[in-house]
Amino acid sequence: MLKGKTVILGVCGGIAAYKAAALCSKLTQAGAQVHVIMTASAAKLVQPLTFQALSKNHVVVDTFDEHDPAVITHVDMADSADLVIIAPATANMLAKLAYGLADDMLSTTMLVTRAPILVAPAMNVHMYDHPTVQTNMATLVSRGVYFIDAAVGQLACGYVGKGRMAEPEQIVDVASRLLEQLQDRPLAGKRVLVTAGGTVERIDPVRYLTNDSSGKMGFAVAEAARDLGAEVTLVAGRTTGSVPAGVELIPVQSAQDMLEAVLERLDGTDIVVKAAAVADYRPEVQADRKIKKTEEALTLRLVKNPDILMEVGKRKKGQFVVGFAAETDHLEENAIGKLERKNCDLLVANDVTAEGAGFGTDTNIITIYGPDGFKMPLPLCTKREAADRLLRLIADRLDGAGIGQAQGVPGGESGGGRMP
Ligand code: PMT
């Protein structure tokens, strides 16, 4: 994957800078064109000439080292990169990247580049654990930056703990897999709207009706869509799972809120996936004060909620609409009924009574139905795997319908996370 690719290798001033020389050599041997940017501190630890000899390219330390009058070096380097690797990344550089500082060649170039960025941090164990460093890394992950975790071991400062830069071989392997993953983007250029979680229907300020949805299925769909290149908006009710990075989150409470959030965005959306468990009913009256206990029984009158999926099915103008059905019996019959009534392009049915399926689990057992008699059962697998299969099926169907060939190049704004 690295053959013929242009890689910027950013080297910061940590003692692991010596390992960056081996990394530079391995990247070059793998066929990449490596352009090294060093910070001034890195250049105190290892000579730029070392990297020049290994990469056969001029090494830049100073932002104003403009050796080619035809270009502005940091913009030219940023634009030409297929991938940026920062190894070692110091706590200082992570903070600069998180806050958008541009006071040296590397941080300045990072603000310009649209290439994916892979970061291999290295520092003292306490520094690595410091809440500021952890927050900066989380910020960068949420913006689509990829990380290779530091390893545990003997550190140059004398401590034994987490903070060692990943080995050069591992970084090369991860970089190669990342490029492969980023090329597989059949939903690039598509906007996907996913709903997740359960709605909350208020009875009074302290009580509500909801359901067991954790949001995990919807989150998995959002994550899979993001990794396949889509721009993802996630409309989420009550959830317990962790929200995927790199997606736009719209938190909502009630079915009415979810309806408004979805319809507001429908026109700008290519694919709608409704994995949320929407309450069919809500209390007719929402008390604005806590309902007091009396000696009498209490009757709660429920009225019907709007059916969001049905509304989307009626209004869709070219959007690809996918519904979910949580069933406890007559799975196929009910699922096909919902597919037709709600005018869906696909419907994903799960038998929520089956072990490992439905609410709250990390796994699911689904069957995907289509209007043309299409039926695709998927055995027990993780919700993430099920979501990936569903999204790839959607991408195939969009292609088949000639609605639009997925295209585009990966940017650094989606995705992000820790690379295994
Ligand atoms: O969130 P998890 O814990 O991971 O659990 C996943 C899940 C079981 C919630 C998920 O896999 C699932 O099945 N979601 C749909 C649950 C549901 O509401 O099913 P339903 O059969 O009641 O509704 C059918 C479809 O209509 C769904 O797409 C639902 O979002 C939609 N609907 C339903 C009612 C309503 N008023 N408005 C709707 O849009």
Side-chain angles (χ1 to χ4, degrees):
M1 290 306 299
L2 286 157
K3 196 165 182 185
K5 295 287 191 306
T6 300
V7 177
I8 291 182
L9 174 59
V11 184
C12 305
I15 188 61
Y18 83 92
K19 287 208 242 174
L23 174 60
C24 178
S25 165
K26 288 188 189 310
L27 289 167
T28 310
Q29 285 168 36
Q33 265 297 329
V34 184
H35 295 272
V36 179
I37 301 177
M38 300 179 79
T39 63
S41 318
K44 288 187 180 164
L45 291 158
V46 183
Q47 282 294 317
L49 190 58
T50 306
F51 289 98
Q52 182 178 306
L54 293 167
S55 68
K56 308 283 182 292
N57 283 311
H58 177 69
V59 174
V60 190
V61 180
D62 179 359
T63 318
F64 301 98
D65 171 18
E66 296 288 3
H67 59 283
D68 179 356
V71 295
I72 307 290
T73 306
H74 66 275
V75 177
D76 186 51
M77 288 184 85
D79 286 349
S80 65
D82 295 304
L83 175 68
V84 176
I85 301 175
I86 304 182
T90 54
N92 182 46
M93 184 53 69
L94 293 174
K96 287 193 204 189
L97 298 180
Y99 285 91
L101 296 189
D103 64 351
D104 62 23
M105 180 64 182
L106 184 56
S107 55
T108 305
T109 309
M110 289 308 94
L111 281 184
V112 182
T113 193
R114 303 300 307 262
I117 301 172
L118 177 62
V119 173
M123 62 198 78
N124 163 268
V125 58
H126 297 319
M127 229 179 194
Y128 195 82
D129 272 352
H130 196 284
T132 313
V133 174
Q134 289 293 324
T135 304
N136 289 338
M137 289 200 279
T139 302
L140 293 169
V141 166
S142 75
R143 292 202 200 124
V145 172
Y146 297 88
F147 275 81
I148 308 178
D149 262 350
V152 175
Q154 178 76 46
L155 306 179
C157 53
Y159 281 91
V160 175
K162 190 166 184 175
R164 276 171 72 93
M165 188 178 95
E167 293 306 317
E169 295 78 4
Q170 188 195 350
I171 299 176
V172 172
D173 176 51
V174 168
S176 175
R177 282 190 288 120
L178 178 60
L179 285 174
E180 192 175 358
Q181 185 183 311
L182 292 175
Q183 259 184 16
D184 177 25
R185 292 163 72 88
L187 291 177
K190 298 281 180 249
R191 280 157 303 181
V192 178
L193 179 73
V194 182
T195 68
T199 60
V200 167
E201 311 297 335
R202 282 268 155 214
I203 299 169
D204 70 12
V206 297
R207 303 179 181 97
Y208 55 81
L209 301 177
T210 189
N211 56 61
D212 284 332
S213 175
S214 61
K216 286 180 183 175
M217 190 65 239
F219 289 176
V221 172
E223 208 172 82
R226 176 202 71 193
D227 288 351
L228 294 177
E231 202 180 296
V232 182
T233 300
L234 178 64
V235 177
R238 181 177 164 275
T239 60
T240 54
S242 42
V243 182
V247 306
E248 183 196 16
L249 176 70
I250 313 288
V252 294
Q253 286 242 315
S254 65
Q256 187 60 40
D257 297 341
M258 189 174 275
L259 174 75
E260 285 162 23
V262 169
L263 293 186
E264 223 170 85
R265 292 164 178 82
L266 189 60
D267 275 351
T269 296
D270 301 301
I271 299 163
V272 180
V273 183
K274 287 227 64 267
V278 183
D280 290 320
Y281 294 93
R282 68 178 183 280
E284 184 174 38
V285 179
Q286 273 185 33
D288 56 4
R289 294 271 182 277
K290 182 182 170 193
I291 298 171
K292 292 286 175 207
K293 184 167 66 178
T294 67
E295 294 309 313
E296 305 300 317
L298 178 73
T299 302
L300 200 59
R301 192 177 144 74
L302 301 179
V303 292
K304 269 191 96 169
N305 260 336
D307 191 313
I308 308 166
L309 182 57
M310 184 91 91
E311 211 42 56
V312 169
K314 272 187 211 154
R315 295 183 187 209
K316 70 176 184 184
K317 295 189 210 107
Q319 289 90 345
F320 193 97
V321 176
V322 181
F324 268 71
E327 302 297 340
T328 53
D329 49 67
H330 302 105
L331 183 102
E332 180 152 321
E333 191 186 324
N334 289 339
I336 294 174
K338 282 177 188 170
L339 171 83
E340 289 168 357
R341 265 197 323 281
K342 303 195 185 197
N343 195 21
C344 296
D345 296 287
L346 288 174
L347 191 122
V348 182
N350 35 199
D351 174 354
V352 293
T353 61
E355 193 164 337
F359 293 96
T361 52
D362 290 326
T363 54
N364 211 350
I365 305 167
I366 62 169
T367 304
I368 307 174
Y369 295 93
D372 36 12
F374 175 86
K375 179 176 171 181
M376 181 168 123
L378 289 183
L380 181 74
C381 60
T382 62
K383 283 183 172 165
R384 185 64 174 75
E385 283 160 355
D388 190 67
R389 295 290 297 273
L390 172 66
L391 268 304
R392 286 181 188 279
L393 177 64
I394 297 170
D396 284 352
R397 294 209 151 205
L398 286 176
D399 268 0
I403 292 172
Q405 184 76 39
Q407 51 182 275
V409 291
E413 287 154 4
S414 62
R418 297 189 187 275
M419 299 294 292

